Amino acid sequence: MTRFLCLILLIMSAGQAARAEVKVASKAFTESVVLGEIARAAITARTGEAASHARELGGSRIVFDALLAGQVDVYPEYTGTLRFELLSGDGTVDDVDLEAALAERGLKMTRIGFSNNYAIALMPDRAAEMDLQTIGDLRAHPGASLGVSNEFLDREDGWRALKAAYDLPQTNVRGMIHDLAYRALVSGQIDVIDAYTTDPQIAEYDLTLLADDRGHFPAYDAVFVYRADLPAEAQAALTALAGSLDEADMQRLNKRAQIDGESASALAAEFVSQQTGSTIEAQAEDGPATRIWQRTKEHLGLVGIALVAAMIIAVPVGIAAARLPKFGNTILGAVGILQTIPSLALFVILIPLMGIGTVPTIFALFLYSLLPIVRNVHAGLTGIAPGLLDSADALGLSRWARLRRVELPLAAPTIMAGVKTAAVIAVGLATLGAIIGAGGYGQPILTGIRLASTPLILEGAIPAAVLALLMQGLFDLAERLITPPGLRLRQAA
Amino acid sequence: MSRHMFSLKNISVNYGSTVALRPVDLDVEPGRTLVLIGPSGSGKSTLLRVMAGLVRSDGQLLFDGAPVTDWRTVRRRIGYVIQDGGLFPHLTARQNILLMSRELGLDNADRARELAELTHLQPDQLDRYPAELSGGQRQRVGIVRALTLDPDVLLLDEPLSALDPIIRAELADELKTIIETLGKTAILVTHSLSEARFFSDRLVLMRDGSVVQEGSFESFEAAPADPFVTKFIEAERKL
């Protein structure tokens, strides 16, 4: 059975691998998505072949692992993230050694030109008032209030390291969500925040960035990381982008995408057109109806395949669990444990084995669907009155005939209830598939969160809720149809 | 001497460390009715289930003179009826009756009709589900189901206990007539002494997993093997 499932997955992944197009990916924030679109537009313009772009994948580790596994060919990253996070297993990699460390893994990188560093930012009038030019100048203002991103507050190399490096006396430091910190700064509730140097808000509010005169913050130079086995023309397209964007350029692009709501692909087309001197059409944006229909197909595909596979495996396993009590306890325990694995952790475990996209998502949904089905098959079969089983045996029915003619029909309503539970859970969980590039209703939700756009979030959330309700209704109906008429009478009585 | 239908030697049943049946010797003659009687937990049902192959036992069991190697073939020669009929609720009365025939690829529709007539079941009742039938009707269907494959033996586990007195008396008459008309060997389990007397003059009184006395009701009265026998008879008379 497991072999059968592996076969399905293999066929599906083979279908994906057959497309030799270049696969671009990006992480779940606007700058990354814009840079991903630029890489795609540049590669398409140079090679004349279509390239795909898996947007908004959930985290550096996920995308980097996918790159190593060959599921992704290129994505935008930062040297600091590569050095301190992704390659931290190598010990601290020197900025100079970074290319060598990547080459060992069959990867290359091209510096895009700008850096997206940590910085300390203030409103310009406040900076003038307090007479601040460098971070060290903050020592003269022990009462200044700071609002820094939660991540910066927690990290070893974040606030604590900065405080030590500059002997800063401030104690009024709050952790907050990055976008909210800007609002608090503008409204004068806090004096100082941490910023990323390409944040569009820096230009929008003309913020003053304090000089890091002690060189505390490491460089987070933006790079395209890509596989060394990428076709030469595609590599040339990426190296041609070297040094093409400075911090001000990137800030402007971020502003247009994040604040003005321009589409990332339109911005990328415009930028690459200027770079190459040839006109490039932006990818046409689909209307909402087409978009939702596309997401619905993806979502149904994820849930449907996972459910069918789960039923094929879980029903026999549930029967075996009911027949062999000792094995039953082990099996119920095992599928119970599977259920407790957090979905994000499961994805990370599955990526080295199955890459990103639909295959690991379906596999994860399959695993989560096992428990409700196995448990209900077991409950349905063990709940049959012993007298009925004796009667079946005494008639001379074989074990198989007893199962088919008596036990399964009697357990059918309970089994269907388990499948229904699995289906409703799977519809909800499948939205998480978007963080590893499986599409579905999770995609507009991710984009909506990134752009702080409620309509976009609802474009994913509402259909997902409707689909869950539809599933519920559909299975209620199926449950009624599959319940033998004689049993419906008993329930009515 | 004719062959015994069942011949049990030293048959005992243990569930782990619990003794459900102490070693029992018992012969069942063909064409006769034997009644196993005793209070709850006396092992009478267990003994019956041993004879249907539903309980694993130690000792020697012969069916029709031969040790049982394959219970499934033996069960086709046995009809088994439990309290309230033991009908499958998802099948109509007719589907219940013909379930095993269908498995074997036999057309027993005519036989089912005859048997239904014999037990006073109306044809339209055969198309109902167990939930739509009364207790007495369900038990009749259970009896017809047990008889469809024309077995040599009927094993009846408290077949009348779930019924109200009038239906019970009616069905007792019918059952006795059927057993005699069809010439079946029958083994009936009951806790009611009057029911036992009605069906047979060969009773086996059991207590705590062992046989206390074997014989007719009259012999129980005249020569009780144990004070328990007298006590059991008196308890029945009182109510």
Side-chain angles (χ1 to χ4, degrees), chain A residues 26 88 218 451:
Chain A
S26 58
S88 60
L451 298 175

Side-chain angles (χ1 to χ4, degrees), chain A residues 154-171:
Chain A
D154 293 339
R155 279 168 75 134
E156 283 296 326
D157 59 344
W159 166 247
R160 269 172 288 174
L162 182 74
K163 190 174 154 82
Y166 281 96
D167 301 317
L168 297 180
Q170 284 79 11
T171 51

Side-chain angles (χ1 to χ4, degrees), chain A residues 235-264:
Chain A
Q235 294 197 23
L238 293 171
T239 45
L241 290 171
S244 58
L245 282 164
D246 63 18
E247 271 168 56
D249 295 332
M250 195 66 234
Q251 269 184 23
R252 270 192 295 277
L253 286 175
N254 282 341
K255 176 177 177 292
R256 289 172 64 186
Q258 178 97 48
I259 297 168
D260 306 339
E262 292 186 52
S263 94

